[in-house]
């Protein structure tokens, strides 16, 4: 078997494409393969497939292919242009690569597989002997391909959440498919324009099928849902509400701890995380510590009781029963003489209709919260991101459940 026949089989070259020349350069660890479409052979129009006369040939292009025998392999070709009666002059498609790509499909597929395993663009680029920019281009192209392939499938539940991007008050807004457990898209910032960008990325059919949207109390999230999916219910997220209650308990603890220390009492020293836990999650040590505290005589104990009592709200299956429970809880919270607890109770009452929707849909941002650790891992592996588009690309590559391969 001669060299041309060997590479014809390796590359899967099918007639009328021909291998004209193979150049081996051992000094630079590379092999260059020159392909050609015969001059007298008509070619298919890339738009309609009709056989057309060859008009001319473009300047030579080069594609990086998978290594052969540890040698970097490159394909060269001056791609023909055909003259179609319907579509005018068009460049023919080549079977080994996508349009505007600098790599063959096989190379891109392997690069994506390596990237999925390593989760590191720099290490993968080093392994494949390409630059970081080239690796980033392959990754971005894979994500673009995956987003374009997403079918117009129905989405029932949407989650809206925010994540930190850079240090300080720099955020991104993340839209998730709650049932599909995937990130749909990411937008820079958390203002109305960012939220609108995400909603506009969905089709009208998808929007019409959305039953509910889970979110916290952020105004832009509420406004966006009311504008783009007015028929969908808003469900204020359970975990964010529990976070607000925990913050209220901690404010009470800090104030009381300060007063007790002024009286030379260390009763609350070292108990911060005890009050942020649910009793059902107490360890033996937690239970022993809790027994030594006379919680009914402590302001933080009364705040903790209101927080723990509210957990029962999530177990109700009928809106009437849930409303009765909240009414009693609200009276207890607002008569607790604990201002942080009163403030949270009043906030919950203002948004109660949307909180009550949990009973109907029973959705939360649990997936969005859970994916946070995955996003943090992506950031840590990349040693941070300065460019939002690279950050978005990485999140969608690893968390979007996209069809990435060419």
């Amino acid at each position: 078997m001669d060299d041309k026949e060997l590479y014809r089989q390796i590359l899967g070259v099918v007639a009328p494409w021909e291998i004209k020349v193979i150049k081996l350069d051992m000094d630079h660890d590379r092999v260059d393969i020159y392909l050609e479409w015969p001059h007298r052979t008509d070619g298919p129009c890339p738009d309609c497939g009709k056989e057309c006369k060859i008009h001319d040939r473009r300047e030579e292009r080069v594609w990086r292919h998978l290594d052969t025998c540890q040698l970097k392999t490159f394909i060269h070709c001056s791609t023909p242009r055909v003259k179609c009666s319907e579509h005018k002059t068009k460049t023919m498609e080549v079977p080994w690569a996508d349009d505007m790509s600098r790599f063959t499909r096989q190379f891109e597929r392997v690069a994506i597989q390596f990237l999925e395993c390593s989760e590191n663009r720099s290490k993968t680029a080093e392994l494949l002997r390409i630059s970081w920019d080239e690796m980033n281009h392959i990754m971005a192209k894979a994500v673009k391909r995956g987003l374009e392939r997403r079918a117009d499938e129905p989405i029932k539940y949407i989650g809206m959440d925010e994540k930190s991007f850079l240090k300080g008050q720099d955020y991104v807004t993340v839209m998730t498919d709650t049932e599909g457990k995937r990130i749909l898209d990411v937008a820079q910032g958390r203002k109305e324009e960012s939220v609108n960008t995400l909603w506009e990325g969905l089709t009208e059919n998808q929007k019409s099928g959305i039953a509910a949207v889970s979110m916290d109390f952020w105004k832009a999230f509420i406004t966006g849902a009311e504008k783009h999916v007015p028929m969908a219910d808003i469900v204020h997220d359970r975990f964010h509400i529990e976070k607000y209650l925990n913050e209220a308990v901690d404010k009470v603890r800090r104030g009381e701890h300060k007063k007790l220390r002024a009286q030379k009492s260390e009763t609350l020293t070292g108990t911060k995380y005890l009050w942020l836990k649910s009793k059902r999650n107490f360890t033996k040590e937690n239970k022993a510590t809790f027994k030594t505290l006379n919680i009914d005589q402590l302001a933080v104990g009364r705040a903790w009781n209101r927080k723990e009592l509210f957990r029962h709200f999530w177990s109700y299956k009928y809106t009437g029963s849930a409303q009765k429970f909240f009414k009693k809880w609200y009276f207890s919270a607002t008569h607790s003489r604990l201002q942080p607890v009163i403030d949270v109770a009043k906030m919950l009452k203002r948004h109660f209709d949307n909180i009550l929707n949990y009973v109907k849909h029973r959705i939360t941002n649990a997936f969005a919260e859970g994916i946070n650790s995955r996003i943090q891992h992506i950031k840590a592996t990349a040693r941070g991101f300065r460019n939002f588009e690279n950050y978005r690309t990485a999140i969608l590559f690893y968390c979007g459940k996209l069809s990435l391969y060419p």
Side-chain angles (χ1 to χ4, degrees):
M1 182 183 294
D2 61 21
D3 292 347
K4 289 184 181 180
E5 178 60 19
L6 174 64
Y7 272 102
R8 188 189 68 77
Q9 294 194 26
I10 289 174
L11 300 177
V13 176
V14 178
W17 289 101
E18 299 175 349
I19 296 178
K20 301 301 290 183
V21 179
I22 298 173
K23 293 182 179 179
L24 184 63
D25 185 352
M26 295 302 294
D27 291 335
H28 296 92
D29 294 325
R30 64 181 285 163
V31 59
D32 294 87
I33 303 161
Y34 292 79
L35 296 180
E36 185 180 80
W37 182 273
H39 284 265
R40 296 183 180 181
T41 305
D42 292 346
C45 170
D47 291 340
C48 63
K50 179 182 174 182
E51 290 294 319
C52 306
K53 294 292 183 182
I54 300 297
H55 176 66
D56 60 9
R57 295 170 190 269
R58 297 189 60 180
E59 65 280 2
E60 182 179 279
R61 290 185 60 195
V62 183
W63 295 265
R64 172 72 186 275
H65 188 57
L66 295 173
D67 293 356
T68 51
C69 300
Q70 300 179 357
L71 299 176
K72 290 187 286 187
T73 305
F74 298 88
I75 294 176
H76 299 247
C77 182
S78 297
T79 313
R81 295 200 304 167
V82 296
K83 197 164 187 178
C84 178
S85 57
E86 183 179 354
H87 299 102
K88 305 291 178 71
T89 304
K90 294 283 183 177
T91 302
M92 281 176 48
E93 293 179 344
V94 296
W96 56 84
D98 291 333
D99 187 35
M100 303 304 292
S101 176
R102 291 172 284 173
F103 302 92
T104 64
R105 292 192 184 99
Q106 290 182 29
F107 188 95
E108 285 193 38
R109 174 174 284 273
V110 169
I112 292 167
Q113 289 173 334
F114 281 16
L115 198 55
E116 287 176 324
C117 294
S118 72
E119 299 187 356
N120 188 299
R121 273 175 272 200
S122 297
K123 294 295 183 184
T124 304
E126 182 181 343
L127 185 65
L128 293 173
R129 296 191 288 181
I130 60 177
S131 70
W132 186 94
D133 286 335
E134 289 174 321
M135 188 71 255
N136 189 58
H137 172 75
I138 291 174
M139 190 179 192
K141 187 180 174 186
V143 168
K144 183 175 182 288
R145 182 189 300 123
L147 291 174
E148 290 172 349
R149 285 175 178 170
R150 269 188 179 162
D152 193 17
E153 75 271 18
I155 301 173
K156 187 176 182 181
Y157 293 125
I158 291 286
M160 299 294 293
D161 204 2
E162 63 186 30
K163 307 293 180 193
S164 63
F165 172 37
L166 298 172
K167 292 181 180 179
Q169 300 298 310
D170 200 345
Y171 294 94
V172 296
T173 301
V174 181
M175 175 183 277
T176 58
D177 173 4
T178 303
E179 284 191 326
K181 297 192 181 305
R182 58 177 178 166
I183 290 179
L184 295 174
D185 209 343
V186 185
Q188 191 167 13
R190 56 173 182 167
K191 295 182 179 179
E192 284 188 32
E193 52 266 34
S194 305
V195 176
N196 288 336
T197 298
L198 294 175
W199 281 114
E200 288 162 4
L202 301 180
T203 66
E204 292 303 319
N205 284 338
Q206 287 174 323
K207 291 178 188 177
S208 64
I210 294 171
V213 186
S214 177
M215 64 182 73
D216 66 8
F217 299 134
W218 186 245
K219 176 77 172 166
F221 292 170
I222 298 172
T223 303
E226 291 174 343
K227 176 182 177 181
H228 294 278
V229 283
M231 300 302 292
D233 290 333
I234 291 174
V235 180
H236 285 313
D237 180 50
R238 168 180 176 174
F239 295 101
H240 281 92
I241 291 170
E242 290 179 349
K243 176 186 173 185
Y244 291 129
L245 287 167
N246 269 326
E247 287 173 351
V249 172
D250 197 48
K251 283 181 183 178
V252 173
R253 179 198 62 80
R254 292 201 307 268
E256 187 171 28
H257 182 45
K258 187 176 181 180
K259 291 179 181 177
L260 289 172
R261 292 194 70 182
Q263 300 169 12
K264 308 299 183 184
S265 172
E266 298 294 333
T267 302
L268 295 179
T269 299
T271 65
K272 174 181 178 179
Y273 295 103
L274 183 68
W275 303 107
L276 301 181
K277 274 189 175 184
S278 170
K279 196 169 185 177
R280 64 189 176 189
N281 296 326
F282 277 4
T283 63
K284 289 183 178 180
E285 185 181 85
N286 293 151
K287 290 176 182 178
T289 303
F290 212 65
K291 284 181 180 179
T292 66
L293 300 169
N294 190 356
I295 67 169
D296 291 333
Q297 300 302 314
L298 292 170
V300 66
R302 290 184 285 121
W304 181 85
N305 275 328
R306 268 70 174 185
K307 178 200 70 163
E308 287 299 295
L309 183 60
F310 192 83
R311 290 183 186 274
H312 293 289
F313 175 84
W314 310 115
S315 64
Y316 284 96
K317 296 182 179 179
Y318 300 100
T319 57
S321 301
Q323 285 174 316
K324 289 179 182 177
F325 169 84
F326 183 80
K327 186 176 180 179
K328 292 179 180 178
W329 179 87
Y330 180 78
F331 180 85
S332 172
T334 52
H335 287 75
S336 65
R337 293 175 295 166
L338 303 169
Q339 195 57 48
V341 175
I342 294 170
D343 291 341
V344 172
K346 289 182 176 179
M347 178 179 67
L348 298 186
K349 187 176 182 180
R350 288 195 300 271
H351 296 280
F352 183 66
D353 288 345
N354 291 339
I355 296 172
L356 190 63
N357 284 329
Y358 174 83
V359 176
K360 177 181 177 182
H361 298 283
R362 309 196 81 77
I363 61 170
T364 70
N365 272 11
F367 169 70
E369 291 297 316
I371 206 72
N372 204 18
S373 60
R374 179 78 170 117
I375 293 175
Q376 289 300 119
H377 174 71
I378 292 169
K379 286 174 65 176
T381 303
R383 297 184 180 179
F385 290 89
R386 295 181 183 179
N387 181 291
F388 166 73
E389 282 304 321
N390 290 342
Y391 185 47
R392 173 179 177 266
T393 295
I395 291 173
L396 291 174
F397 186 92
Y398 294 111
C399 308
K401 292 187 177 180
L402 297 171
S403 175
L404 300 168
Y405 297 107

